[in-house]
């Protein structure tokens, strides 16, 4: 298999309006689709962030059920030039940065949480090289 990228990533959330507020209103992710009581999907660069109400999708019959529980970790990649601006944006909208790490290659990333407790990270391009 020659995988190009992870196209979709899924989080399980408890409140779609609150999730839309966090990812769209605060972070600026474009909304692709919202179905009340079921899901809200966002564009994240060339990827898609799927946010489902777990219990609602657990009983799906058309597609395989999408459900899970617990807090997950996602890292969003930005250009090195945009890193500080992203950090400033997160702070400006009132989101607490809980940690900033300097990695062995000298690059830094920072961590924060969404309203469901998922651990989010902003990383610059090249952090895994």
């Amino acid at each position: 298999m020659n995988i190009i990228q992870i196209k979709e990533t899924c989080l399980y959330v408890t409140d779609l309006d609150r999730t839309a507020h966090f990812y769209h209103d605060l972070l600026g992710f474009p909304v692709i689709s919202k179905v009340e009581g079921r899901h809200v999907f966002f564009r994240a660069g060339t990827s898609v962030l799927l946010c489902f109400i777990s219990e609602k999708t657990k009983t799906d019959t058309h597609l395989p059920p999408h459900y899970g529980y617990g807090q997950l970790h996602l890292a969003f990649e930005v250009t090195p030039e945009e890193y500080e601006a992203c950090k400033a944006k997160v702070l400006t909208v009132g989101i607490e940065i809980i940690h900033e790490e300097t990695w062995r290659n000298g690059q830094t990333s920072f961590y924060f949480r969404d309203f469901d407790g998922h651990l989010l990270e902003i990383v610059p391009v090249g952090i895994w090289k």
Side-chain angles (χ1 to χ4, degrees), residues 29-96:
F29 290 22
V31 174
I32 297 170
S33 171
K34 184 175 182 189
V35 173
E36 263 329 300
R38 185 178 190 281
H39 73 256
V40 58
F41 299 164
F42 305 94
R43 173 95 32 231
T46 60
S47 298
V48 176
L49 176 59
L50 308 173
C51 296
F52 287 105
I53 299 291
S54 185
E55 289 302 315
K56 179 64 177 171
T57 58
K58 189 174 184 176
T59 58
D60 280 351
T61 57
H62 177 70
L63 295 172
H66 287 65
Y67 65 94
Y69 305 94
Q71 297 171 346
L72 301 175
H73 165 66
L74 303 178
F76 299 108
E77 188 176 63
V78 299
T79 65
E81 299 78 24
E82 283 289 310
Y83 178 82
E84 290 298 328
C86 286
K87 188 164 61 170
K89 164 112 176 144
V90 165
L91 291 170
T92 298
V93 298
I95 300 168
E96 176 187 5

Side-chain angles (χ1 to χ4, degrees), residues 78 110 119:
V78 299
F110 67 90
L119 183 62

